[in-house]
Amino acid sequence: MFASLRTRLIVVYSLIIILTVAVVDFLILDSYFKSRLEERKITYFTYGSMISNAVLADMSDILYISNTLEQYTRSTSARFLLIGSNTEVISDSKHRYDGRMITNQQIRDALQGRESWAIYNTSGRIMQLAVPVMSGTKENLSIHGAVLISANIEDLYSSYRVLRLKVILISALAGISGVLVSMFAGYRLSSPLNKLIRFSRRLSRGHLGETIRIKRKDEIGQLAETINFLSTDLHRLETNRRRFIGDVSHELKTPLASIKALVESLLLRDECPSDHREFLGDVIGEVDRLSSIITRLLTFTRLEEEMLRSKPQEFLKIVEETVRVMKPLAQSHRVVIENRITEDMIIECDKDLVQEMLVNLIDNSIKYRDKNKDISLITLSASVANDKLLFRIQDNGIGIPEDDLPNIFEGFYRSERSRSKEVEGYGIGLAIVKRIIELHRWDINAESTRGSGTAITITIPL
């Protein structure tokens, strides 16, 4: 799911932004609400202390006390009660509990000389605070009663909810903006990396000498510059290698032709002994083998420089012409070539190169036939799927070991090395096939099972 670097960057950046915004929102809202609550609490404690000091002079003057409590109620909308030391309500600003005995934790704390407060949630949130009415010094303290304050603070919670909703909406917009920015940043970072990956794949397919343009001064730009230097150097080395192989191959052809001509002239002499004729015949055979190797080397080198001459071609016709050419060779080795392609399809290709590719594939299947079988079979078939032609050549030969499959298209690589004397070949044929496939920008895949044969599938876009 998170295989690509771009996806990981977007996820990580988005999580950082979302978590940061969420934590900051929580801390800010929590701090704001607590500070507002603390302000309200201090305000009511101040009112309670003022009432306590006002009634302390004469707690028997009920009219004064009642007027004072009513005055504070009108100015603050809170409810004030004066409680005696015996928990009897001396005066209630709303005149509902006058003369009644009431007690709660706040009143008990206040009658012990401690200020106390709590929040209750009934029909709405109510803050209750109690302030002791006391006189004397700390060593000789007299508690005469308590001032109980009951205030509705639902407005505080309502404003908190409104603010929280606004903060969440703003944070959501900021989070979405952050995610979009992280997507853009992830694209900006991963885009040149994806270009480098695609360019590296082209280098691995042999497109040396090409360069990639990434105008950055960071580590990615330095990496691109390094890969460009590598591509240039590899192209130079590859060019020198091709030139060397071509030059050596051309130089070898002349002496080999001379050697063959000299040997043949010796064989024409009547006085040549029979055993010498046998040896000279072997020399000619080896000369022919060297000439074949050199010819394939020159073909391989030529393909490195080859430019395609593509045009629409009838694929069935190409296959039929190739099968007709290869049938005599196949019959001489007791191999049957069966062409199961019936529907003709038009493909864009270089006909000569495609025929050379098919010749090499069929020749390879003939060489690696199972000699223990009376008749070996090579089957050619084709199907169309997703606007692509799938051409398949399958044999029932000796097969290829699983460990060798990834390397069979490399130059001079031969599977079944221990049987190299039984199977003729130079390890160049499939390398030529691979190069022709690359020139056409097609795909090739090999499947094989030891003792059951090999299947080569070529994918051709239509």
Side-chain angles (χ1 to χ4, degrees):
M1 182 179 178
F2 301 123
S4 70
L5 177 62
R6 179 182 177 182
T7 304
R8 292 181 182 180
L9 287 173
I10 292 173
V11 171
V12 171
Y13 287 163
S14 300
L15 286 176
I16 291 173
I17 292 170
I18 292 171
L19 290 176
T20 302
V21 170
V23 170
V24 170
D25 286 352
F26 173 79
L27 293 176
I28 290 176
L29 289 171
D30 185 66
S31 176
Y32 168 79
F33 180 76
K34 286 182 178 179
S35 65
R36 290 292 305 277
L37 191 65
E38 186 67 21
E39 288 176 3
R40 192 71 62 90
K41 183 180 71 173
I42 292 172
T43 299
Y44 286 125
F45 271 134
T46 302
Y47 289 146
S49 298
M50 293 170 64
I51 294 172
S52 173
N53 293 331
V55 303
L56 185 61
D58 188 0
M59 293 190 63
S60 60
D61 191 349
I62 302 300
L63 181 60
Y64 171 74
I65 294 173
S66 178
N67 289 335
T68 301
L69 296 181
E70 290 176 4
Q71 183 179 353
Y72 274 98
T73 296
R74 285 194 297 270
S75 61
T76 64
S77 298
R79 186 175 184 177
F80 295 87
L81 294 85
L82 180 62
I83 313 295
S85 58
N86 59 351
T87 70
E88 179 184 358
V89 177
I90 298 174
S91 179
D92 179 5
S93 64
K94 298 210 174 170
H95 305 291
R96 294 180 183 175
Y97 291 97
D98 291 338
R100 294 174 62 177
M101 308 290 289
I102 61 171
T103 183
N104 60 22
Q105 186 61 46
Q106 284 70 51
I107 294 174
R108 289 192 293 270
D109 290 342
L111 293 178
Q112 292 180 6
R114 301 190 302 271
E115 292 182 344
S116 179
W117 72 283
I119 295 176
Y120 298 94
N121 189 5
T122 54
S123 57
R125 288 177 176 81
I126 303 296
M127 178 184 282
Q128 284 197 355
L129 309 93
V131 178
V133 180
M134 54 188 178
S135 61
T137 61
K138 195 172 184 179
E139 292 78 13
N140 187 21
L141 192 64
S142 297
I143 298 176
H144 307 286
V147 177
L148 180 66
I149 306 165
S150 181
N152 190 322
I153 58 170
E154 189 61 36
D155 62 312
L156 193 63
Y157 282 89
S158 297
S159 63
Y160 171 73
R161 285 192 292 269
V162 172
L163 177 63
R164 183 177 60 187
L165 180 60
K166 291 180 179 179
V167 170
I168 290 174
L169 290 175
I170 294 172
S171 300
L173 291 175
I176 292 172
S177 301
V179 170
L180 293 175
V181 170
S182 67
M183 291 175 66
F184 176 74
Y187 173 78
R188 287 278 297 172
L189 184 60
S190 64
S191 179
L193 291 176
N194 290 331
K195 289 175 66 176
L196 286 173
I197 291 172
R198 291 192 295 269
F199 181 68
S200 300
R201 286 174 179 166
R202 285 185 60 80
L203 290 183
S204 67
R205 291 171 184 161
H207 299 278
L208 304 177
E210 297 181 359
T211 56
I212 184 171
R213 296 188 64 183
I214 296 179
K215 295 182 179 180
R216 297 175 66 124
K217 295 183 179 180
D218 55 8
E219 288 82 356
I220 295 177
Q222 295 174 14
L223 177 60
E225 188 176 351
T226 302
I227 292 178
N228 285 336
F229 284 137
L230 176 63
S231 174
T232 304
D233 287 344
L234 288 175
H235 179 65
R236 178 178 53 82
L237 292 173
E238 185 66 13
T239 301
N240 291 337
R241 181 188 68 83
R242 294 174 192 164
R243 185 182 297 115
F244 173 77
I245 293 175
D247 293 345
V248 169
S249 300
H250 279 293
E251 292 297 326
L252 287 175
K253 284 183 74 68
T254 301
L256 282 175
S258 300
I259 292 172
K260 185 175 181 179
L262 291 172
V263 171
E264 287 176 344
S265 66
L266 290 175
L267 285 173
L268 293 174
R269 295 185 178 182
D270 295 334
E271 65 271 15
C272 182
S274 59
D275 56 344
H276 288 186
R277 286 181 178 276
E278 182 180 351
F279 293 148
L280 291 174
D282 293 338
V283 171
I284 289 178
E286 293 302 312
V287 168
D288 288 338
R289 286 185 68 249
L290 283 174
S291 297
S292 178
I293 293 174
I294 291 171
T295 300
R296 285 180 172 263
L297 277 174
L298 288 172
T299 301
F300 187 69
T301 306
R302 175 178 58 82
L303 285 174
E304 297 289 345
E305 308 288 346
E306 186 73 34
M307 296 296 292
L308 285 181
R309 293 179 293 274
S310 294
K311 62 179 181 179
Q313 301 283 351
E314 296 177 3
F315 184 67
L316 178 57
K317 186 177 180 180
I318 297 175
V319 173
E320 288 175 341
E321 289 179 4
T322 307
V323 170
R324 187 165 54 252
V325 170
M326 296 300 294
K327 263 191 176 180
L329 177 64
Q331 290 172 353
S332 66
H333 290 86
R334 294 182 302 169
V335 176
V336 175
I337 302 176
E338 184 178 328
N339 181 16
R340 296 181 180 176
I341 303 174
T342 56
E343 183 181 355
D344 199 5
M345 287 149 284
I346 303 300
I347 63 171
E348 190 81 19
C349 68
D350 186 319
K351 180 180 178 181
D352 294 335
L353 291 183
V354 172
Q355 282 186 322
E356 187 168 355
M357 175 190 73
L358 294 175
V359 167
N360 277 285
L361 289 174
I362 296 173
D363 181 63
N364 209 60
S365 294
I366 294 172
K367 288 176 182 175
Y368 288 89
R369 67 193 181 279
D370 189 344
K371 295 182 179 179
N372 296 322
K373 296 178 180 178
D374 294 333
I375 298 294
S376 295
L377 180 65
I378 299 174
T379 304
L380 309 178
S381 60
S383 61
V384 177
N386 300 324
D387 294 329
K388 292 180 179 179
L389 171 64
L390 303 179
F391 171 69
R392 187 178 180 90
I393 175 170
Q394 186 166 3
D395 62 54
N396 60 349
I398 59 176
I400 303 171
E402 185 178 352
D403 293 341
D404 291 330
L405 273 176
N407 306 311
I408 60 174
F409 295 108
E410 295 179 6
F412 297 101
Y413 184 88
R414 294 193 64 202
S415 180
E416 292 281 341
R417 291 182 182 273
S418 61
R419 303 176 62 173
S420 59
K421 291 183 179 180
E422 300 177 25
V423 181
E424 296 181 357
Y426 317 112
I428 305 176
L430 289 182
I432 292 174
V433 170
K434 178 68 172 177
R435 181 56 185 164
I436 294 173
I437 292 291
E438 289 174 348
L439 287 172
H440 284 86
R441 300 184 185 277
W442 298 345
D443 290 317
I444 187 168
N445 181 56
E447 300 173 7
S448 185
T449 304
R450 289 293 298 273
S452 299
T454 303
I456 303 290
T457 303
I458 298 172
T459 305
I460 305 172
L462 293 176

